[in-house]
Amino acid sequence: MDTEIREYQDSWEGEIKGKLESQFPGKLTVTGTETRRVYVKADKAIIHDLCKFLHDELRFEHCASIAGVDMKDYMQVVYHIDNYTTYKGEVVEITTDLPNDDLHVHTVSDIWGGANWHERETWELFGIVFDEHSRLERLLTPDTYEFFPFRKSYKLRGWE
């Protein structure tokens, strides 16, 4: 693959979409594209392999964010992965659904070191466990908290 920095081209979204669908047939769905954005829905079982492919093969250098979303009936993890060189300015947004009775997904902090903090915050606030994370512990709340404050089931004191 060409490693020089290039200017934006309209065909990149289609190129990325094609490479993802070809590498993971039937295991992900590209739900849409727009200028500099590719939206992917993936099964949690392939998250690590998908991110490894984005990093190693498509050269997406930066995990900009990982966030949890409480959809009430299930949780969702949303990843924003950036590329600054081969697909200058492209972002792949990956979503994966987790059933409330199995809030586990594999860590990607071994691929992008900065994902460490995003995963820790997501675990702390939503209770989503990133398997094989090297240091899944609280950043913002006291160690005594036995709840996850961003879950919809969490009731604020005085609001019950």
Side-chain angles (χ1 to χ4, degrees), residues 1 19 21 30 41 51 53 60 92 113 123 131 136 154 159:
M1 176 172 277
K19 288 180 178 184
E21 289 173 337
V30 176
K41 182 84 164 173
C51 288
F53 179 77
F60 276 75
V92 174
W123 168 77
D131 294 331
L136 206 55
Y154 173 68
W159 289 80

Side-chain angles (χ1 to χ4, degrees), residues 98-128:
L98 306 176
N100 285 332
D101 63 349
D102 183 15
L103 296 176
H104 289 260
V105 67
H106 198 287
T107 186
V108 297
S109 63
D110 59 323
I111 300 169
W112 299 285
N116 177 339
W117 298 95
H118 301 299
E119 290 178 348
R120 286 175 66 183
E121 181 180 49
T122 302
W123 168 77
E124 177 178 23
L125 300 175
F126 291 93
I128 296 169

Side-chain angles (χ1 to χ4, degrees), residues 1-9 12 15-16 19 36 53-62 81-91 112:
M1 176 172 277
D2 186 4
T3 59
E4 71 182 59
I5 296 177
R6 305 178 292 173
E7 292 304 316
Y8 174 74
Q9 297 174 16
W12 285 352
E15 182 180 322
I16 295 166
K19 288 180 178 184
R36 295 191 173 167
F53 179 77
L54 283 170
H55 181 269
D56 294 352
E57 301 300 322
L58 300 185
R59 299 179 40 90
F60 276 75
E61 305 95 341
H62 182 236
I81 313 298
D82 298 338
N83 181 284
Y84 302 116
T85 53
T86 53
Y87 300 109
K88 188 175 181 182
E90 286 289 333
V91 175
W112 299 285

Side-chain angles (χ1 to χ4, degrees), residues 66-78:
I66 299 172
V69 181
D70 185 344
M71 306 301 279
K72 197 166 185 177
D73 295 330
Y74 61 94
M75 293 284 186
Q76 190 173 71
V77 181
V78 181

